[in-house]
């Protein structure tokens, strides 16, 4: 066992004395040491129930003959962090989580790990760590929130943000907003639509790193507790069979995840996190490849914010495995990939019935023949940009309009709420990328304000920042190269005509090459917005959005 390095032999007597200080018995010393990475905290609604999940995992591990020991991972609530400096600290936590988990797991020589995450950066951060550490590992998340109910309709966090825009437009009273405020988020759990947290928990299931139901069983269901106990038991089976994350998270499994992503209509943030996970297994994940997957993968689900259904509905309809089984009817998945069940994808999904064709469209009656995400390129985004195609209304799939240029999110929001943005405009928010932000803030405030003010079918937004999974409309993010490194988005001027062609995968500005060259000669890099602390260190090491915003040693330091 790996833990023998800290438990066996005379040389390890000092180590054993410290285990004695923990209250270990001789019997426990002889059993596998299982690390449980707990993302529990009291500030994130998606994590406030994880103490119960962790206790269930511990019971499962002990029932199966292991010795569970818990250590923490941090997590930021993107909703609470939204719209202020806190959002700069969201994406950056993904790498802190991966790094700190790697440090704890290897420092203490755990034989196997159970990851207990739930929210946006927490899930991919722990998937990255699992690939690095590569001891038998299983995931069990905290589960999604139940949908809220307002005026007899299901609602969620995106409805809440859009209510603020509707209030600014005079379409809601303050009392109406208060009703949404009190009812939109009714339980613990990750917010109830196909936002980033639920996208990544579902894709964890597709990757093979979570048991069936991991992505969809609601947080408040007792079934979630049973799932956690089974995860604790199953990690011991993975240890016995020596099935490790890199046996499961292969290139083929990543392609499966991207395929199911297209069918589910996942968050655009998956196009940051899948490349980052791929980077950890040595796979060169180029985001334009997503268009090839999209071209052959039908979009089967319109979960909020793209439509009126929620995670609880997907769960009742058969969950992720039912979606996968629909896709497999046309041979769109690699069914030979290994999973934490100890079985292959094909064995797992065999016979998984689609119980509600209104929630999961049958493969021969999709919402669209192409997938939920699209990567756009052109002279405005030479290295790519990402849009949640399934959440764009038909009339905005092709659009041309004048650029309204802002160098930060706050200025754009002020212009939207004060009525300065008109039908047909293209809002450009720049210097919000991984380096420029720093931290690549989500833009849920401006996208929700546009939707709430009734401009969602006439106004587009493009940014080198990113979007919440709750964003909808013609919201194009991850524009690469970003403005901070002199990407073309830095050269856009007020009134330039922006040309968007989502079916054609194009994003251009109608400015000649000669004029763009002239502007480039006059462009000067901005002074960093942050010069101290973690954000400054992050900005010096982070790569562009098209590469997943992974961290690398700067070339000039690497060469020293």
């Amino acid at each position: 066992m790996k833990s023998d390095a800290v438990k066996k032999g005379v040389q390890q007597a000092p180590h054993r004395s410290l285990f004695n200080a923990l209250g270990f018995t001789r019997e426990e010393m002889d059993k596998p040491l299982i690390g449980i990475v707990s993302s529990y905290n009291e500030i994130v609604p998606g994590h406030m129930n994880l103490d119960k999940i962790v206790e269930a995992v511990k019971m499962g591990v002990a029932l199966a003959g292991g010795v569970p020991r818990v250590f923490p991972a941090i997590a930021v609530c993107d909703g609470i962090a939204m719209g202020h400096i806190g959002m700069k600290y969201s994406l950056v936590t993904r790498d802190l989580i991966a790094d700190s988990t790697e440090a704890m797991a290897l420092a203490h020589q755990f034989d196997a790990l159970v990851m207990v995450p739930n929210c946006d950066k927490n899930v991919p951060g722990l998937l990255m760590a699992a690939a690095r550490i590569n001891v038998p590992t299983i995931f069990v998340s905290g589960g999604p929130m139940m949908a809220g109910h307002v005026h007899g309709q299901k609602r969620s966090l995106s409805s809440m943000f859009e209510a603020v825009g509707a209030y600014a437009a005079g379409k809601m009273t303050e009392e109406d907003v208060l009703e949404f405020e009190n009812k939109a988020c009714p339980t613990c759990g990750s917010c109830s639509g196909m936002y980033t947290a639920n996208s990544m928990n579902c894709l964890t299931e597709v990757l093979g790193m979570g048991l069936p139901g991991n992505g969809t069983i609601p947080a408040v269901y007792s079934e979630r507790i049973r799932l956690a106990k089974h995860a604790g038991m199953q990690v011991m089976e993975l240890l016995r069979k020596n099935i490790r994350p890199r046996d499961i998270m292969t290139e083929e499994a990543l392609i499966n995840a991207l395929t199911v992503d297209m069918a589910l209509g996942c968050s655009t943030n998956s196009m940051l996190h899948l490349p980052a996970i791929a980077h950890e297994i040595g796979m060169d994940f180029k985001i334009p490849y997503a268009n090839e997957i999209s071209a052959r993968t039908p979009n089967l689900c319109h979960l909020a914010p793209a439509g009126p259904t929620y995670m609880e509905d997907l769960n009742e309809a058969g969950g992720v495995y039912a979606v996968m089984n629909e896709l497999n009817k046309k041979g769109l998945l690699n069914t030979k990939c290994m999973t934490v069940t100890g079985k292959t994808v094909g064995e797992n999904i065999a016979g998984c019935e689609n119980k509600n064709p209104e929630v999961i469209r049958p493969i021969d009656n999709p919402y669209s023949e192409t997938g939920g995400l699209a990567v756009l390129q052109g002279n405005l985004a030479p290295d790519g940009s990402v849009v949640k195609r399934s959440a764009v209304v038909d009339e905005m799939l092709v659009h041309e309009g004048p650029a309204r240029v802002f160098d930060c999110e706050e200025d754009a929001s002020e212009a939207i709420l004060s009525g300065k943005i008109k039908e047909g405009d293209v809002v450009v928010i720049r210097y919000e990328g991984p380096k420029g932000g720093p931290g690549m803030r989500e833009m849920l405030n401006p996208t929700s304000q546009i939707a709430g003010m009734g401009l969602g079918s006439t106004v587009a937004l493009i940014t080198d920042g990113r979007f919440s999974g709750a964003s909808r409309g013609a919201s194009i993010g991850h524009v690469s190269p970003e403005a901070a490194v002199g990407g073309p988005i830095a050269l856009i001027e007020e009134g330039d005509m922006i040309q968007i062609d989502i079916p054609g995968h194009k994003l251009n500005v109608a400015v000649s090459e000669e004029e763009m060259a002239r502007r480039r000669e006059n462009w000067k890099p901005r002074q960093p917005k942050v010069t101290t602390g973690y954000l400054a260190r992050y900005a010096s090491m982070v790569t562009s959005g098209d590469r997943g915003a992974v961290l690398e040693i700067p070339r000039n330091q690497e060469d020293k």
Side-chain angles (χ1 to χ4, degrees):
M1 291 187 294
K2 190 179 183 72
S3 62
D4 287 351
V6 292
K7 293 191 303 185
K8 299 292 184 182
V10 175
Q11 294 296 320
Q12 277 64 48
H15 304 70
R16 289 194 297 275
S17 71
L18 294 170
F19 282 110
N20 287 336
L22 289 170
F24 268 51
T25 65
R26 175 57 55 189
E27 291 81 2
E28 287 176 306
M29 292 279 198
D30 293 332
K31 293 181 178 181
L33 185 62
I34 311 301
I36 301 175
V37 186
S38 171
S39 304
Y40 168 75
N41 64 49
E42 295 182 339
I43 191 61
V44 182
H47 290 235
M48 64 183 283
N49 65 319
L50 295 190
D51 55 341
K52 295 176 176 59
I53 301 296
V54 167
E55 286 303 313
V57 170
K58 289 173 67 176
M59 186 174 293
V61 169
L63 283 169
V67 179
R69 280 297 178 269
V70 179
F71 64 89
I74 64 171
V76 163
C77 176
D78 279 21
I80 295 174
M82 196 72 63
H84 56 89
I85 191 173
M87 183 45 68
K88 294 179 184 289
Y89 286 91
S90 173
L91 179 61
V92 304
T93 64
R94 185 187 70 185
D95 297 274
L96 281 174
I97 291 162
D99 292 348
S100 59
T101 302
E102 173 192 356
M104 286 293 289
L106 295 181
H108 300 99
Q109 293 293 287
F110 288 103
D111 294 300
L113 297 168
V114 183
M115 306 293 198
V116 188
N118 209 29
C119 286
D120 298 35
K121 314 310 165 305
N122 198 246
V123 181
L126 291 180
L127 285 166
M128 292 162 66
R132 287 185 203 171
I133 301 161
N134 203 35
V135 297
T137 302
I138 194 168
F139 278 64
V140 56
S141 76
M145 183 184 291
M146 301 295 286
H149 291 264
V150 183
H151 299 156
Q153 292 184 310
K154 287 184 177 181
R155 299 293 188 179
S156 62
L157 183 66
S158 57
S159 309
M160 186 67 253
F161 276 88
E162 289 177 18
V164 175
Y167 173 76
K171 298 179 179 182
M172 273 193 184
T173 66
E174 191 169 346
E175 289 74 21
D176 292 330
V177 175
L178 180 62
E179 184 171 11
F180 270 81
E181 180 182 330
N182 288 328
K183 295 180 178 178
C185 298
T187 72
C188 64
S190 48
C191 295
S192 56
M194 188 54 78
Y195 310 146
T196 306
N198 292 327
S199 294
M200 293 310 302
N201 281 320
C202 287
L203 296 184
T204 297
E205 210 174 313
V206 181
L207 283 168
M209 292 298 293
L211 295 175
N214 179 71
T216 60
I217 297 170
V220 295
Y221 282 16
S222 297
E223 186 181 358
R224 176 67 55 178
I225 300 296
R226 296 196 295 273
L227 180 74
K229 290 177 182 176
H230 283 131
M233 289 185 266
Q234 186 60 24
V235 79
M236 298 304 296
E237 186 67 16
L238 294 173
L239 180 60
R240 279 188 282 273
K241 293 181 177 179
N242 196 28
I243 298 174
R244 303 178 181 225
R246 287 184 214 158
D247 300 324
I248 294 169
M249 289 193 287
T250 61
E251 290 193 17
E252 293 78 11
L254 264 294
I255 298 303
N256 277 350
L258 185 54
T259 300
V260 178
D261 184 315
M262 294 297 175
L264 286 171
C266 289
S267 163
T268 51
N269 283 312
S270 64
M271 294 303 293
L272 282 174
H273 301 321
L274 290 177
I277 296 163
H279 179 76
E280 297 292 343
I281 67 166
M283 177 184 177
D284 186 14
F285 189 113
K286 297 185 184 301
I287 65 168
Y289 181 58
N291 289 333
E292 294 182 37
I293 301 292
S294 179
R296 63 176 182 257
T297 307
N299 178 228
L300 304 181
C301 299
H302 269 191
L303 295 145
T309 54
Y310 293 81
M311 295 305 296
E312 62 203 62
D313 302 311
L314 179 60
N315 186 62
E316 295 303 317
V320 173
Y321 278 14
V323 176
M324 295 174 73
N325 200 37
E326 286 290 342
L327 293 173
N328 197 43
K329 291 175 182 177
K330 288 194 174 179
L332 295 173
L333 297 176
N334 186 318
T335 57
K336 295 181 180 179
C337 294
M338 179 51 62
T339 74
V340 292
T341 67
K343 300 177 182 178
T344 65
V345 166
E347 290 172 314
N348 285 341
I349 67 175
C352 290
E353 180 187 351
N354 178 0
K355 299 173 184 176
N356 189 338
E358 297 301 314
V359 176
I360 304 170
R361 288 281 187 92
I363 193 75
D364 56 1
N365 182 34
Y367 282 103
S368 67
E369 293 293 340
T370 53
L373 298 180
V375 174
L376 314 184
Q377 291 178 283
N379 69 351
L380 185 47
D383 294 338
S385 60
V386 182
V387 63
K388 190 169 184 174
R389 176 179 182 155
S390 59
V392 180
V393 294
D394 289 346
E395 53 266 40
M396 289 298 289
L397 290 172
V398 177
H399 178 75
E400 182 170 354
R404 305 297 309 279
V405 183
F406 304 94
D407 287 349
C408 67
E409 177 189 357
E410 290 83 356
D411 290 350
S413 286
E414 189 279 329
I416 294 165
L417 291 175
S418 61
K420 295 176 183 176
I421 302 302
K422 307 300 182 185
E423 291 186 4
D425 286 348
V426 178
V427 177
V428 177
I429 305 177
R430 61 193 181 188
Y431 295 100
E432 291 284 10
K435 285 185 180 294
M440 204 179 188
R441 288 195 288 179
E442 287 186 345
M443 302 290 167
L444 181 56
N445 270 345
T447 59
S448 298
Q449 290 155 3
I450 287 170
M453 296 185 76
L455 297 171
S457 61
T458 59
V459 170
L461 190 154
I462 68 170
T463 180
D464 53 7
R466 61 192 179 90
F467 296 112
S468 164
S471 293
R472 62 186 176 98
S475 303
I476 302 165
H478 310 190
V479 171
S480 301
E482 63 174 292
V485 298
I489 193 172
L491 311 179
I492 302 302
E493 295 181 358
E494 188 81 5
D496 285 348
M497 295 303 292
I498 307 296
Q499 300 166 334
I500 300 167
D501 181 359
I502 294 173
H505 306 132
K506 299 294 183 185
L507 180 62
N508 288 297
V509 56
V511 174
S512 69
E513 291 183 15
E514 292 76 15
E515 173 61 15
M516 290 293 276
R518 183 192 67 78
R519 294 180 187 181
R520 186 174 300 284
E521 287 181 6
N522 295 326
W523 178 81
K524 291 181 173 58
R526 302 286 181 93
Q527 289 297 313
K529 294 178 183 176
V530 180
T531 58
T532 60
Y534 178 58
L535 286 180
R537 193 159 65 250
Y538 179 89
S540 73
M541 299 176 68
V542 70
T543 61
S544 64
D546 68 293
R547 296 186 56 201
V550 298
L551 301 186
E552 290 184 344
I553 298 171
R555 184 67 62 183
N556 59 347
Q557 294 182 30
E558 198 175 48
D559 292 341
K560 289 180 181 179

